[in-house]
Amino acid sequence: MQTDSSFTFVLFGGTGDLSMRKILPALFEAHRAGGMLADSGKIVAVARHVADRAAYIDWVVEHVKPHVSKNGVDETAWASFLDRIEFVKIDLGNPEDFTLLRDALSGRPGIRVFYLATGPSLFVPICRALASVGLNENSRIVLEKPLGYDLKSSNAINDAVGEIFAEEQIYRIDHYLGKEPVQNLLALRFGNVLFEPLWRREWVESIQITIAEELGVEARGDFYDNTGALRDMVQNHLLQLLSIVAMEPPHSMDSDSVRDEKLRVLRALKPIDPRDIGKVAVRGQYHAGVIRGSGVPAYATEPGVKPDSTTETFVAVKVEIENWRWSGVPFFLRTGKRLADRVAEIVVNFRAVPHSALGASALRGGANRLVIRLQPNETIRLYCLAKQPGEGMNLASVHLDLAFDRFFREGQMEAYQRLLLDVINGRLALFVRRDEQEAAWRWVEPILNEWAASNKPPKPYAAGTWGPAAASAMLAQHGTCWLEEEN
């Protein structure tokens, strides 16, 4: 993934947590790898909390370097990376300050990338200010989630940004789409004849997609209490992963072919009748509990959270896709904070054999399954039954493991690194198109509206568990269970 293209990467929110933990470390890894970033490429950080470039470099050394030192820092590469960084002090609330940015970017060759690592309330003002000084031409803009609070507010942002930037200039980022196992899921499905005949309702019993976190809301209480897990995770990450799993083979891997197929999945989601939401959607909120031996507080006592908050920190929802490939196959999506483990995974449970001469274990659904682990360790495992050594025909579950590090000497590329390189090189396939986003909001809104109108509080669950019991009961009604309950 090499490029000779010159670029200027402008980072709004240059002192923010996302910039420090993800964006600048990803750019450093691309720089250290050699050949991924043009030598002439520059990074221009924009912020108002530091005085000048020297102060900003000190800030980067303090806050970014710890996130790139897992395997030791190449000091030569680090020093040359810092040479790429420039700084412009701007008050984003003052459009006149953008003339300073225009002057700093004047005469630079290549494409301009504007990365908005800010709150969504600043997206439109920043875009308008960029246009007012002529910086919306020959440029690309990256929008972080959440993009709006609901369909109406999302459309308002997209309308305003779309007046300034063409759709092919807009990169709505979802970092889960850049993860290596998600890319390998596409390779497994569309590069091998083995899986395609099985990837349909005749052979798949159910599919689970889980994004679980051990952490609570940390310092994001104010933001999270006005957002909740459904908006924060389901509307974007989980529905995007679902569309990747369920999509039809695209004509090619170009941006519109892939996104057209994802859109068809999102438009085929069975609408949820508000009267059925209690049966197909579970919302929960964590109470005090214990994680890895340490006590953690209840969500309602977290800083920035209202004591009587009814915001959900857990969601489990059953999804159905109304098309020939997936009709009748339940997709179970789940996400939550303060759960028992940090894990993101996709579990494809295949149907049991129709008849077995080998005993009841071969007739159990889920005996054959594909588990795509996205975090913390990125792996793909195919589970099947094999005979145990010894007398008799006793079956046991075994797995075939796709261990990337055994087959490929190159280290895996982090999601943000891949996506930032795609932005610089103008590749849109792994970014969310506006019509995809609208389809996702349209499907989620009945749940949002019903929960907002309901007087029922979220179901409680103790921190350090896997969420409310109702989430397990929902799967039990379909004769299945979550993967961790299998044992």
Side-chain angles (χ1 to χ4, degrees):
M1 193 179 289
Q2 296 185 348
T3 178
D4 296 323
S5 303
S6 185
F7 67 91
T8 303
F9 188 97
V10 182
L11 180 57
F12 289 92
T15 57
D17 186 59
L18 180 63
S19 297
M20 298 298 104
R21 290 188 303 107
K22 295 295 184 181
I23 300 172
L24 288 175
L27 289 170
F28 170 71
E29 293 300 333
H31 169 85
R32 177 166 63 174
M36 290 187 174
L37 298 178
D39 292 340
S40 58
K42 294 292 184 182
I43 302 165
V44 178
V46 174
R48 65 173 181 170
H49 297 300
V50 295
D52 52 26
R53 181 183 183 276
Y56 184 72
I57 293 299
D58 290 341
W59 182 278
V60 169
V61 170
E62 178 181 355
H63 293 92
V64 176
K65 202 171 184 180
H67 296 291
V68 300
S69 59
K70 296 176 183 177
N71 299 316
V73 176
D74 181 333
E75 293 296 341
T76 301
W78 177 252
S80 59
F81 175 71
L82 294 181
D83 288 341
R84 285 188 186 267
I85 298 177
E86 300 176 6
F87 177 77
V88 179
K89 184 175 182 178
I90 289 180
D91 181 354
L92 298 180
N94 183 9
E96 294 180 0
D97 278 7
F98 280 73
T99 58
L100 301 173
L101 181 61
R102 179 196 62 196
D103 295 343
L105 302 183
S106 179
R108 294 174 182 265
I111 195 73
R112 291 188 295 259
V113 173
F114 298 110
Y115 197 113
L116 274 55
T118 68
S121 63
L122 293 172
F123 290 174
V124 173
I126 290 174
C127 290
R128 287 174 174 163
L130 289 171
S132 71
V133 294
L135 289 178
N136 57 321
E137 301 295 332
N138 191 35
S139 60
R140 298 169 187 145
I141 189 144
V142 185
L143 304 178
E144 269 284 350
K145 76 170 186 75
L147 202 68
Y149 185 78
D150 52 19
L151 179 59
K152 181 179 178 180
S153 59
S154 176
N155 281 341
I157 294 174
N158 278 318
D159 286 344
V161 175
E163 292 175 0
I164 298 163
F165 295 92
E167 179 65 26
E168 60 268 19
Q169 293 177 278
I170 303 172
Y171 290 68
R172 299 173 189 85
I173 195 167
D174 186 327
H175 71 276
Y176 274 87
L177 298 184
K179 288 182 175 290
E180 196 73 47
V182 175
Q183 302 301 296
N184 262 302
L185 174 59
L186 293 172
L188 283 173
R189 281 200 60 194
F190 306 133
N192 300 281
V193 73
L194 174 65
F195 290 104
E196 180 56 29
L198 304 178
W199 214 261
R200 58 189 66 248
R201 60 186 176 84
E202 291 88 351
W203 304 111
V204 175
E205 180 184 71
S206 65
I207 294 178
Q208 302 172 18
I209 306 178
T210 294
I211 302 177
E213 300 177 88
E214 286 186 340
L215 294 176
V217 295
E218 304 305 294
R220 300 167 69 233
D222 288 332
F223 161 78
Y224 197 88
D225 208 37
N226 292 304
T227 304
L230 189 64
R231 291 183 178 92
D232 191 43
M233 299 297 291
V234 177
Q235 183 273 331
N236 39 70
H237 297 327
L238 283 166
L239 287 183
Q240 282 293 314
L241 291 176
L242 180 147
S243 67
I244 290 285
V245 171
M247 65 188 279
E248 295 296 319
H251 171 69
S252 69
M253 295 307 292
D254 68 73
S255 59
D256 281 330
S257 292
V258 172
R259 298 191 294 180
D260 284 347
E261 297 304 335
K262 287 165 55 188
L263 177 63
R264 289 188 177 95
V265 173
L266 294 170
R267 287 180 172 171
L269 297 181
K270 182 180 180 180
I272 295 180
D273 188 321
R275 296 170 296 183
D276 294 333
I277 287 174
K279 302 176 184 177
V280 300
V282 177
R283 65 170 176 159
Q285 186 185 98
Y286 66 82
H287 288 199
V290 177
I291 295 180
R292 300 193 185 279
S294 299
V296 295
Y299 171 76
T301 64
E302 298 274 19
V305 175
K306 296 185 291 292
D308 59 349
S309 174
T310 58
T311 298
E312 76 282 355
T313 62
F314 175 96
V315 174
V317 60
K318 174 194 169 189
V319 183
E320 295 181 71
I321 300 174
E322 294 182 308
N323 63 20
W324 276 54
R325 182 182 290 269
W326 295 114
S327 180
V329 177
F331 288 70
F332 298 104
L333 312 185
R334 174 178 61 163
T335 186
K337 290 188 174 294
R338 292 296 192 201
L339 297 183
D341 200 2
R342 173 180 175 264
V343 62
E345 64 188 7
I346 300 164
V347 180
V348 181
N349 289 312
F350 294 98
R351 295 189 184 278
V353 297
H355 170 75
S356 175
L358 301 175
S361 58
L363 294 170
R364 177 171 51 86
N368 298 143
R369 62 165 53 100
L370 185 68
V371 178
I372 301 107
R373 177 68 65 91
L374 307 179
Q375 65 182 29
N377 52 326
E378 300 181 339
T379 60
I380 297 178
R381 286 184 173 179
L382 178 62
Y383 287 80
C384 55
L385 296 176
K387 179 188 176 298
Q388 290 181 327
E391 185 180 1
M393 183 58 71
N394 299 312
L395 303 182
S397 179
V398 297
H399 63 264
L400 308 175
D401 199 342
L402 176 56
F404 301 108
D405 55 352
R406 297 180 189 174
F407 291 95
F408 306 108
R409 293 184 179 180
E410 302 86 356
Q412 291 188 47
M413 186 178 291
E414 293 292 332
Y416 267 97
Q417 182 181 345
R418 171 180 287 106
L419 294 173
L420 294 182
L421 289 171
D422 278 0
V423 176
I424 291 170
N425 290 296
R427 293 187 282 259
L428 278 159
L430 300 182
F431 295 85
V432 181
R433 204 167 58 192
R434 176 175 179 170
D435 48 10
E436 291 181 74
Q437 194 173 67
E438 289 179 358
W441 273 120
R442 194 169 288 111
W443 185 82
V444 162
E445 274 210 324
I447 306 175
L448 288 171
N449 294 338
E450 180 65 19
W451 285 354
S454 172
N455 293 321
K456 296 180 181 178
K459 297 182 183 299
Y461 64 96
T465 67
W466 281 104
S472 296
M474 183 172 66
L475 270 69
Q477 293 174 358
H478 295 274
T480 187
C481 63
W482 298 106
L483 181 60
E484 74 278 354
E485 296 171 338
E486 190 77 25
N487 298 320

